Structure formats: structure tokens, C-alpha cells
Amino acid sequence: MSRPPLPRIGVFVCNCGTNIARTVDCEEIACAAMEWPGVVVARAYKYMCSDPGQEMIAEEVREKRLDRVVVAACSPRMHEPTFRRALASSGLNPYLLEMANIREQCSWVHDDPRAATDKALALARAAVARVVRHEPLEKRFVPMNPATLVLGGGIAGMTAALQLADAGQPVTIVERADRLGGNVARIDLTAPHLDSARELLLGRLARVSMHPMISVLLRAELEQLEGYQGNFTADVAVEGASRRLEIGSVVVCTGYKEFDAARVEGLGYGRLPDVITSFELELMLKRGRIEMADGRTPRTVALVHCVGSRSEEYHGYCSRVCCMTALKYGHEVKSALPGAAVVDLYIDMHAFGKGCEDFYRKTAEIKTLFLMYGKNAPPVIRPAGPKDDCNLLITLDEKLSGEEIEVPADLVVLMVGMEPREDAGRVAQLVNISRDKDGWFIESHPKLDPVATTTDGIYIAGACQSPKDIPDSVAQARAAAARILAKVAKGKIEVDAIFAEVDAARCSGCRICGTMCPYGAIEYDEEQKSSRVVEASCKACGCCAAACPSLAVRARHFTDEQIFAQIEGVL
């Protein structure tokens, strides 16, 4: 009995500019590939992901009647969808593609060109061996529920809700507090233009409260979320009662909490009554009076930056908004107390936003005294003596002068940084998203997909993802809403053709697969006494296939035959 003929394979090697070609001889790989079984064309090109590169692949598929394509380039995470589209445009099933990662796994981690080229050859040869066993797969579709659940009623949450509602889609805002507004409602003015935060919120609050497409649940919390993109079921606890919502998407806008300044003992917060936090000063400003604990008016107000931020002991990241907020306080103190002196103690001045550098210059012009201290060497604050003409003394190693100095002050304001909320871990577990080492929610891609998460249908916006100011939070909320509206407009959700399948005849009903699945994509059928994969939720991670003792689970596009062929090819 004769063996079926090998498919006609094309191999395309990307130089990635010099990212790959600097270390790997791409032309050598293309030449060598022509000797491998089934390969009828092999080409190297400077940028295979570019429009000309994709057109080259599509043209070769048509002209050479290719059955399979191998692209040796960067990570499949980056450009596998790009090359699948190129195959589809030429009439070839997009899953008859295999990528060999010769950038992240080869050129970027090796210095020896010969060794790197040999490894790239092995990776490309393995891809050719594997692609022979690929099967044409077809995507499927599920209906899209247009309703959206927004967790958090701060500036980001209200913005996302209004964008969706204005497009005619139903939205439910779930807010833990007894009012909307979030952290912005605690602020007096906003930097750098000193606009009223209250005026900023009032318009949105009015629109949200009157919008016929927005429902607001106050003193409410998400209890459970089940389902998949386009078809979620959310259980929400509202003042003791439980309400079930049918939704298609979730936008997480749960915000942040301020750092507990009492953790930095040398600053005296909690022990010295005239050492306050930035939010406590905001409360004074909203009440219209800046005063010390005994009711006196301070003659010198000191602002200490980076409390809890940019510290090896607490948080290494920058909280971003503190510098401009401190400059804002300089203006507000001078406006409320024209005779008072303002001292600004900083590590670095981060004036990153539009208009912020000008704001920094204007703050210097109102005679704010700027003093610089070292990272991981915060100032020490203590009570002044009876002979000192002040309330507090701040000791610091001043970097610009190179001297240790004492700064007199009557009121010290600690610019507390942002950190994730206490319930961030629980929220992440409920909506099945991940957190980084600092506890912030992780986006799908930090540059190319900053509002989506690795769980389809779950989006993040605002300061729950990382420290950010109001404009960035609003922009991210609008982006999340746009992503949802683009899917709602289609009316259905495309399900990737790569997912796991359970052979009910071989399934023993042990349910190990359901326990292992990180996406909650496996259900147990009590009638059939076997497990079943919810295709729309499956991410083809392979946990179930690897764990199944009965070998009842088959991972489409990652079958045993394909993996073994790849191993043989690389060896």
C-alpha cells in the first residue's frame, strides 16, 4: 500500500530587519529548507510581516499550489494571526500554518552566529515536520449579548458606561460604595489646569443617573461570574439580595487605594498630628480652610513626594500623579494662605503629561522651594523643640547641595502613592484575570492590547490596571467601550477553531480535567456521565489533555501526532 504524497510546503524566513539576521543566517535556512521533504519553495525576506512580505506568501501559495506554510520569524503570539490572514487571503485554510520562533527562542538569546543558525535550522525543520500533520479547521460562532457589566463607578467606570449607553447598548454599573465618583470625588482641583473635580464629575453623574440605558447598583458586589465572552451570567449582591444579570462583556474599573503612610515610620504619620496625607489635605481644601491640628494657620507647608512609591521596601513603581498633585497643592496653599511658604521635597520631578512642564515652571515662579532627596532615603520628621520657630523639623540629605539639612515646617503633607485595592485578588479570581507582581490587573499586551485581558470579554480600565491620571483613565475606558461595541456590532462572537474535545466514549467521569482547567471551560454532563468542553471558553492551553488519565481529551491543532512529529523534526 503506497503512502499518500507529502503536501506541498512553502518555507518563509524573516530577517526581522537585523533582529534575526544579525545572528542567524536566514539565507542558509532558506537554501537548506529546499532539501527537506515536501518543501517546494523557500524564501528569506527582510520583513515577512510587512504588506509586501504577506503578499509574497499569498502569491507563492497561489502560484505553487501550496498545501502548507511554515514561517520562521518571531513569536507566534506577535504575528501568527497576521500570517493566518495571509493564508486565508490566498484561499488556504489559515490553520495549515506553523511558525518557528527563531527570534525570541534563537537570535535574541544566542551570540554565536553558527550555533544560532544551527538551532534556527532545527526549529524550522521541526515546524516543517509538524505542519505535514496539520488539519484544516473551521472557526465557529456564538451569539453576542450586547449588555455590559461595569465594575466600579469612578471616572473610568462612568465613562465606559456612557460610551456604551450612548451607542444604545444596556449597561449595569456595580459600585461597592453608596455613591458614584470614586477617588476623583475626593479631589478639590485637578492638575495641571486647576479645574474643579466636582464640576468634572457633576455632568457625568447627571448623565449616568438619567440615562435610560444605564442601571446603577450601589452598595453592590459581584459574587459570581460564569460563562464566556458574549454569554456571561453574573450574580450580584445588592444590600443582601442577589440579582442575576445576563451580559456579554465586563469592564473592570475598580480603581486603587492610597498607600498607608503609617508604614513609613520615619515620617511620623499617625504619631504627629500635623503630618497628614494628600487626601486629608484635599478634605481641608474642599472645606475651604487649611489649618493645623490645634486650629492655627500654618506658616510653612512641606510637601513630601513618593510616599510608598519608588521604594525598594514598599513599591518600586512610580504612582505618576503625585508630582503634579504636589505642584497643585503649592498653588492652592499660596492661594489660600498668601503669606505661607511652600517647600517641595522630591526624588525626581515627573512632569510627563500635556501642560505639566509648564505647570512645573509656573510653580517655581510662585516661589515654591524645591529640595531633592535620594531614592530609598526618605526624610525624617520629628517635633520641633520649644526654641524652634516652627512645629516640625524635617531632616534630609539634600542632593543638589550635597548637605544634610533641616527644614522647618508647621504642616507636612505626604504625597501617598497608589496601590491595588484590598479586594483586587478576589475580583481577579471572580472574573478570571491575572495580576502582576505588584497586584495590578494584567492587560493582554502592554502596548498592542492595553485594555483587553487574557480572558475574552473581560476588559480593564483606569487605575486598577496601573497608576494613572484622569485623562489616561478616561482614554482607556473609551477604548474598552470601543472594543465591546465593535463586537456588539457583529452580533456574534467568533470562536477560535483551536480548542479541546472530549471523547465521551473514553471519558471515565473523573473530572480531573475540570479541576485543572484555568478558564473554567469544562462542564460535567450528569446524564452522559462525561465531561464536556465549552468551546467558546477554551483557550487550548492543553492542561486537560495532559492531565486526562483516560486519554479522552484531544487538543485540536496540538495532537500527539503533531507534537511527536515536531520532536522528531528538531532532533
Side-chain angles (χ1 to χ4, degrees):
M1 185 175 177
S2 61
R3 296 178 62 183
L6 285 171
R8 297 172 63 82
I9 303 171
V11 176
F12 301 91
V13 186
C14 181
N15 294 359
C16 198
T18 58
N19 276 299
I20 295 174
R22 182 189 296 113
T23 313
V24 173
D25 189 334
C26 298
E27 290 293 342
E28 181 179 337
I29 296 173
C31 291
M34 289 299 295
E35 305 298 322
W36 298 340
V39 176
V40 296
V41 61
R43 302 274 299 274
Y45 186 67
K46 188 171 184 179
Y47 291 107
M48 201 62 75
C49 63
S50 65
D51 288 343
Q54 293 177 59
E55 181 54 40
M56 175 197 298
I57 294 173
E59 189 175 332
E60 292 287 10
V61 168
R62 291 188 290 264
E63 289 187 0
K64 302 292 194 309
R65 304 188 313 280
L66 299 181
D67 303 308
R68 306 286 191 277
V69 169
V70 168
V71 178
C74 59
S75 166
R77 178 175 170 81
M78 182 71 71
H79 277 305
E80 190 171 51
T82 301
F83 296 119
R84 281 182 181 168
R85 287 193 294 269
L87 265 64
S89 71
S90 64
L92 189 62
N93 187 284
Y95 293 93
L96 299 177
L97 163 78
E98 178 63 16
M99 287 190 68
N101 186 350
I102 62 171
R103 189 178 74 175
E104 286 86 343
Q105 294 180 359
C106 193
S107 68
W108 279 3
V109 293
H110 295 291
D111 296 323
D112 183 347
R114 182 67 264 160
T117 300
D118 289 342
K119 181 177 178 181
L121 281 165
L123 292 172
R125 190 167 55 244
V128 168
R130 186 190 200 279
V131 81
V132 170
R133 290 160 177 80
H134 279 206
E135 303 166 344
L137 304 176
E138 297 299 330
K139 294 183 178 180
R140 305 184 186 187
F141 296 90
V142 295
M144 174 71 187
N145 186 330
T148 299
L149 176 67
V150 176
L151 292 180
I155 191 71
M158 288 193 292
T159 298
L162 286 168
Q163 288 290 113
L164 293 162
D166 286 346
Q169 308 306 326
V171 184
T172 300
I173 299 177
V174 172
E175 170 57 52
R176 289 187 62 182
D178 58 0
R179 58 177 176 79
L180 298 177
N183 284 310
V184 176
R186 304 165 67 190
I187 296 172
D188 179 37
L189 303 179
T190 63
H193 304 298
L194 302 181
D195 297 319
S196 168
R198 181 174 179 274
E199 295 298 322
L200 192 72
L201 284 176
L202 280 178
R204 274 177 165 74
L205 288 168
R207 289 180 60 201
V208 167
S209 64
M210 294 187 296
H211 208 297
M213 301 304 290
I214 298 178
S215 300
V216 178
L217 303 179
L218 299 176
R219 302 184 192 89
E221 288 189 57
L222 178 67
E223 288 184 316
Q224 187 173 352
L225 184 72
E226 295 178 331
Y228 52 89
Q229 179 181 208
N231 296 270
F232 290 112
T233 301
D235 291 330
V236 180
V238 188
E239 297 182 357
S242 184
R243 184 179 299 188
R244 174 155 290 194
L245 305 174
E246 302 294 333
I247 54 174
S249 309
V250 178
V251 186
V252 181
C253 309
T254 49
Y256 70 94
K257 70 168 186 174
E258 69 265 28
F259 176 79
D260 180 7
R263 294 168 61 186
V264 189
E265 293 185 3
L267 296 179
Y269 181 75
R271 294 185 292 105
L272 303 175
D274 289 313
V275 176
I276 64 174
T277 67
S278 44
F279 279 105
E280 289 169 341
L281 178 62
E282 291 284 1
L283 191 57
M284 288 186 187
L285 292 167
K286 292 182 78 172
R287 290 173 177 170
R289 180 171 173 79
I290 302 173
E291 59 187 5
M292 297 158 61
D294 60 8
R296 289 183 296 144
T297 299
R299 291 171 297 172
T300 302
V301 177
L303 310 168
V304 180
H305 290 227
C306 299
V307 177
S309 304
R310 305 195 66 215
S311 163
E312 293 176 359
E313 187 174 356
Y314 304 109
H315 300 305
Y317 55 79
C318 170
S319 290
R320 300 188 73 206
V321 302
C322 314
C323 287
M324 293 303 103
T325 303
L327 297 183
K328 178 195 78 164
Y329 291 153
H331 286 267
E332 289 188 279
V333 169
K334 286 286 190 179
S335 177
L337 308 172
V342 177
V343 183
D344 193 299
L345 285 67
Y346 68 100
I347 296 175
D348 292 305
M349 189 62 67
H350 287 190
F352 66 91
K354 184 177 182 180
C356 290
E357 194 65 35
D358 290 338
F359 191 51
Y360 179 27
R361 177 180 52 78
K362 291 176 182 176
T363 307
E365 291 173 356
I366 62 170
K367 298 184 179 179
T368 296
L369 175 62
F370 290 99
L371 300 173
M372 184 178 185
Y373 69 93
K375 191 176 180 182
N376 298 312
V380 175
I381 304 173
R382 70 180 193 277
K387 295 183 179 180
D388 294 312
D389 189 24
C390 60
N391 187 32
L392 300 166
L393 287 174
I394 308 171
T395 304
L396 73 153
D397 288 322
E398 211 283 317
K399 292 300 178 183
L400 298 180
S401 65
E403 298 178 355
E404 181 178 286
I405 63 173
E406 280 189 345
V407 179
D410 295 317
L411 183 68
V412 176
V413 182
L414 305 180
M415 307 303 303
V416 287
M418 298 183 184
E419 63 181 15
R421 289 173 53 96
E422 304 92 332
D423 62 349
R426 181 173 181 273
V427 172
Q429 188 175 21
L430 283 170
V431 300
N432 197 26
I433 60 178
S434 301
R435 298 196 297 159
D436 63 19
K437 63 182 177 61
D438 296 308
W440 303 105
F441 297 139
I442 297 178
E443 62 284 340
S444 178
H445 191 286
K447 290 183 171 57
L448 302 179
D449 207 356
V451 298
T453 67
T454 51
T455 298
D456 290 340
I458 309 295
Y459 302 87
I460 51 178
C464 65
Q465 182 232 1
S466 66
K468 55 176 60 72
D469 61 1
I470 295 172
D472 284 355
S473 295
V474 168
Q476 198 174 22
R478 289 176 179 270
R483 292 290 301 277
I484 293 170
L485 290 173
K487 294 184 181 300
V488 170
K490 294 180 179 179
K492 56 186 178 181
I493 295 294
E494 185 180 276
V495 178
D496 197 336
I498 303 175
F499 51 82
E501 298 172 309
V502 177
D503 183 346
R506 301 185 70 172
C507 179
S508 66
C510 68
R511 310 189 197 186
I512 291 176
C513 56
T515 304
M516 295 292 293
C517 180
Y519 300 99
I522 300 180
E523 299 175 342
Y524 184 72
D525 190 324
E526 292 288 353
E527 292 185 5
Q528 297 289 332
K529 302 299 180 186
S530 65
S531 294
R532 182 181 71 86
V533 176
V534 180
E535 299 167 2
S537 299
C538 180
K539 296 298 175 187
C541 67
C543 287
C544 55
C548 180
S550 306
L551 303 180
V553 184
R554 178 179 184 268
R556 287 160 54 107
H557 204 63
F558 291 92
T559 64
D560 291 349
E561 295 81 5
Q562 291 166 346
I563 300 301
F564 285 134
Q566 191 170 17
I567 293 171
E568 291 173 6
V570 81
L571 297 176

